[in-house]
Every structure is written in C-alpha cells, then in structure tokens.
Amino acid sequence: MSIFPKISLRLEVERYLKEGFMNKEVVSALGKQEAERRFETLLNHLSHPPSFTTVRVNTHLASVQHVKNLLLDELRKQFNGLSVPILQHPDLQDVLLIPIIGPRRNIKKQQCEAVVGAQCGNAVLRGAHVYVPGIVSASKFMKAGDVISVYSDIKGKCKKGAKEFDGTKVFLGNGISELSRKEIFNGLPELKGIGIRMTEPIYLSPSFDNVLPNYLFLQNLPSAVVTHVLDPQPGEKILDLCAAPGGKTTHIAALMHDQGEVIALDKISNKVEKIKQNALLLGLNSIKAFCFDGTKALKLDMVKDAEGKPPFLRESFDRILLDAPCSGMGQRPNMACSWTLKEVTSYQPLQRKLFTVEPQIGGEGMMGAGLSFEQLKQLQRFDPSVVPVRDTDIASLGDARIEDTIWLANKDCIGFFIAKFIKCKST
C-alpha cells in the first residue's frame, strides 16, 4: 500500500515520459485506460523503496555461505536480535536478498524535527543514517542526544539552516541527534560524519556502512544480472566502457576468477580512483582502470599500441559492457526529480555515441521500440509497477513461500533494462 505521493516531476518531463510510455503499440495492446493506469502506477512505485536490499558476495575471497553467516550475525546486531531472513538468489548464486520491513506506521512523531535533502532522504529509506552534509534544517533547541523526527524536503524548498519548515516534507522516521543544531550549522566544512543516528526508520533496512567491505558489494538486482548476462570467462579480455564506481567491473573480474584482463574506463579522474579502490578492497588484480572518454575508445588508425592503454583497435576485446550514462530516474526510492526536459533528453546523443564504440530475470522489452515480439523477448526489462506497493513485516515473511519471495525480489526492484548483442562476423 502506498505511503508516499508519486514521484514529483516537472510537467514537461511527465508529459514527455507519458507520451513515450503510451505509444501506439502499448495503447493498442492494453487500451488507453489500462496504459494510463500502468504509467501512474510506475510513477507511484518510483517514490517507494524496493522490497529487498540486494548485495553481491565477492566470491573471489569467500564462499557465499560463509558471507551469509557473517551477515546474519551483523543483522542481528543492527536489528537488536530481530531475526530477518537472508535469501540466496536461486538464479544468481552470488546474490543475497534481505527483505525490507515496512512501512512501519506506528512510529510516534517527535516535536523536535530535522529536515534533510531529497538525496539524503532516499538514502535513509534504504538503511543509511543521516550524515551532517545532508541536514538542511533543525529545530531551534536541538541538542546532542535528543530524539528527532526526520523529514525529507522532496522539492528542495527548505533553506539551509532554517529553524522550522512548513513546506512539502515526508516523514522518514526517528533518530537520535549526534550533534547540536549549533554544531551542525557552525560552518565548519570538516563536519562530515553522522549527524542523526536513525533508530526508528519508517522502512527497516540494514545499513552497509563499512559492513564486511571485503566480502560484500551493495548492488541493485538488475545491476547484478547484467554481468551474468555478459557471462565473462576466465582468460578473456573485457572492456567496461563507463565503469565507475566499479560494481560491474569487479563483478566481471570475480566471475572470471580474476584470470584475464578487465579494462575499465571513465572520464572523471576521482571516479577512476574509486574503481581502483574497490578493486583493491575486493582483492582483484585483473582490473586496469584508465581516465579516458569512452566515446573516443576506438583507435581510428591501425598503429598498434603495445602498452595496452586506450584507445584500442577494433576487435581488441572478447566482450564489452556498456552501462551508458542515463537520467537515473529508475532508481528507487526517488520522490522528486527537478530536471528539465532538456536535461532528461541530453543523454540520448551520448548513449548513441558510446554505442557505436562498443540469465533471464527481467521481463521482455517494452513495446513501441520498433522490435518484433521475438526481439523484445531477447531484452530484459525490470518494471517495478508490475507488483503492488506492499507492507512487509516479520510475520508475513515467515508465512511466505521461498518461490513467492524470490519472484517478488525479481519484480520489485529499480527500473532498468538489459540488451545483449552477439557479433556474428567481422565487417
């Protein structure tokens, strides 16, 4: 059952998305009324978190069962002895699923309030505590140790340092302040730690801040599916074109048993450093990360580069992964997006530029792309609107069949799609 309003978009953006969603093929197949209902359902789902937190086990360093046992101990500590199940995905053996409990509707709101930015609010709904940079407003007399009700400023209207805010805000739960209002807004840039420790979040989801960092990688389910679809093999040479922060890069290396070569590109230097840090943390040595523009990764002259650095000659790789930059509007939860239509559509030319360079869990592709039904079945589309927004509690988890729980995890995730292309012959 819905607890939040649908994602807030600019009118021009919502109209543009609706026009694309309700194309002739979709309306012809479903009817206008049903197509409109599905579009509204999708917008509503985007503002709510998925039903599961998904983590990928670094099988290069440990077995899935060993990490699962360690994680069970960690969750008992976080949830004060509450026994939350951890499921191993039957089709993605290195993926663990943790149910998100909520929404919890009986949390008492406190007089003392703090308002956080929308991005911070989204993170809280996925299990994070509130860090100081995310706090926008706090009650006048807030002290360290106070029990605080935390709200998200989903439209970005609250002024930094305000003592109260009566605009549109969404309740996220209660926490204990680690700092006073004065300490939070004293202007010192080095304050970056936890400002409010969430004790009663409306959605109970585990925090993975420094939890088993060598063994686990927090990753949305479709993102973990991608590398299994790529199906890298030991000894191959693989290119990850837009690799930061390295989730799929490190997954490729792990599935190859760290045997072969994984080239990771990103054009922003600090993001490349993040890839290197993640590879080091996960003990993977087959990854080479370069700060390089993926649109220029193809070497146009035929002079071979012996150093193995970009750009590369044609047919230098066995497989290529392209997770092209996009608007990210399929991320969940996402209560508001203030982007203009120009910003939303700006990714299409870049995606086409990158594309010239370079297990069936989801449903078939969306109609209206000019593909046959057989071709649509070759795609994987993850559409969270196919299941209703639901409440989850410990009792319902105990009664559920494993098959039903896995089905829900496969459906109620972020919005995403995957396409795999196999080169038949050289041109």
Side-chain angles (χ1 to χ4, degrees):
M1 183 177 176
S2 300
I3 191 170
F4 303 133
K6 73 179 186 180
I7 181 175
S8 174
L9 303 168
R10 288 176 181 258
L11 185 59
E12 59 174 358
V13 171
E14 186 167 335
R15 284 174 176 168
Y16 171 78
L17 296 176
K18 187 173 183 179
E19 183 180 336
F21 188 93
M22 296 186 59
N23 58 72
K24 289 182 180 179
E25 284 188 54
V26 170
V27 173
S28 176
L30 302 176
K32 185 177 179 182
Q33 187 173 355
E34 176 60 15
E36 285 184 343
R37 186 196 69 79
R38 291 196 184 187
F39 179 71
E40 290 299 318
T41 300
L42 178 58
L43 297 186
N44 185 58
H45 276 63
L46 290 177
S47 65
H48 293 72
S51 294
F52 292 82
T53 297
T54 309
V55 290
R56 175 173 57 80
V57 175
N58 178 22
T59 51
H60 177 60
L61 294 183
S63 70
V64 175
Q65 188 58 52
H66 175 65
V67 176
K68 182 179 177 181
N69 291 338
L70 293 175
L71 187 55
L72 278 168
D73 291 339
E74 172 64 30
L75 294 190
R76 288 191 194 101
K77 293 174 189 174
Q78 285 195 27
F79 295 155
N80 297 317
L82 186 66
S83 182
V84 176
I86 299 175
L87 305 175
Q88 183 178 5
H89 198 289
D91 300 311
L92 311 170
Q93 293 292 307
D94 55 356
V95 169
L96 297 177
L97 306 166
I98 302 111
I100 295 176
I101 308 300
R104 302 191 296 171
R105 302 169 188 271
N106 58 350
I107 298 174
K108 183 180 178 182
K109 296 178 182 178
Q110 303 296 309
Q111 189 172 1
C112 195
E113 297 181 359
V115 177
V116 302
Q119 288 299 108
C120 178
N122 294 342
V124 168
L125 290 173
R126 295 299 297 266
H129 296 293
V130 177
Y131 285 76
V132 173
I135 301 174
V136 182
S137 163
S139 293
K140 185 175 181 180
F141 300 109
M142 189 178 88
K143 317 183 293 296
D146 284 351
V147 179
I148 309 292
S149 281
V150 180
Y151 295 82
S152 177
D153 171 24
I154 61 174
K155 295 192 175 180
K157 300 295 185 181
C158 183
K159 291 183 179 179
K160 186 79 171 180
K163 296 174 183 175
E164 57 183 32
F165 177 61
D166 295 324
T168 304
K169 58 187 179 183
V170 172
F171 179 59
L172 303 176
N174 296 333
I176 296 175
S177 178
E178 298 280 311
L179 301 165
S180 68
R181 172 191 161 81
K182 184 177 180 181
E183 289 170 318
I184 291 170
F185 296 115
N186 67 3
L188 295 177
E190 62 267 22
L191 275 179
K192 295 179 181 178
I194 294 176
I196 301 170
R197 193 171 297 276
M198 297 300 296
T199 53
E200 292 182 292
I202 195 167
Y203 280 96
L204 189 61
S205 183
S207 170
F208 281 91
D209 185 19
N210 205 34
V211 172
L212 305 175
N214 302 107
Y215 294 149
L216 289 176
F217 199 97
L218 191 61
Q219 198 166 29
N220 286 305
L221 181 69
S223 297
V225 174
V226 167
T227 313
H228 284 281
V229 171
L230 185 69
D231 193 24
Q233 300 298 312
E236 290 185 333
K237 186 176 181 181
I238 296 180
L239 174 63
D240 189 350
L241 264 174
C242 302
K248 298 179 189 70
T249 306
T250 54
H251 197 186
I252 291 169
L255 290 181
M256 292 168 63
H257 308 299
D258 208 25
Q259 298 170 20
E261 189 175 5
V262 184
I263 303 295
L265 305 184
D266 203 279
K267 66 178 184 178
I268 300 175
S269 58
N270 63 335
K271 289 187 175 183
V272 174
E273 288 306 310
K274 186 64 177 176
I275 298 171
K276 293 178 179 178
Q277 289 169 15
N278 280 326
L280 183 65
L281 191 64
L282 299 173
L284 297 163
N285 301 309
S286 59
I287 296 169
K288 295 179 181 177
F290 299 98
C291 186
F292 198 84
D293 185 347
T295 64
K296 301 173 183 176
L298 177 63
K299 194 176 183 69
L300 298 177
D301 60 60
M302 297 304 292
V303 179
K304 191 170 182 179
D305 186 354
E307 296 183 17
K309 296 179 180 180
F312 303 101
L313 294 174
R314 291 181 183 275
E315 302 186 22
S316 295
F317 298 92
D318 296 293
R319 302 168 201 254
I320 297 174
L321 175 63
L322 171 57
D323 185 4
C326 67
S327 67
M329 291 176 70
Q331 288 291 347
R332 297 173 64 197
N334 187 4
M335 294 191 193
C337 179
S338 60
W339 285 17
T340 65
L341 181 59
K342 184 177 180 181
E343 288 172 312
V344 169
T345 57
S346 66
Y347 288 96
Q348 296 169 6
L350 174 59
Q351 290 166 348
R352 292 191 185 101
K353 265 187 176 183
L354 286 162
F355 200 79
T356 57
V357 176
E358 78 101 58
Q360 195 72 26
I361 304 297
E364 68 269 9
M366 182 176 169
M367 293 179 290
L371 301 176
S372 68
F373 180 66
E374 288 303 314
Q375 290 171 325
L376 289 175
K377 289 198 295 184
Q378 299 302 309
L379 303 176
Q380 292 197 52
R381 179 169 177 253
F382 293 83
D383 177 5
S385 69
V386 299
V387 292
V389 173
R390 50 181 283 164
D391 294 9
T392 300
D393 55 30
I394 290 295
S396 67
L397 290 173
D399 296 336
R401 296 189 309 157
I402 293 292
E403 296 88 344
D404 295 336
T405 305
I406 297 297
W407 180 88
L408 181 62
N410 288 341
K411 301 299 180 186
D412 194 11
C413 52
I414 64 169
F416 206 91
F417 88 95
I418 303 167
K420 181 178 181 178
F421 298 85
I422 300 174
K423 188 173 183 180
C424 299
K425 61 179 180 179
S426 299
T427 54

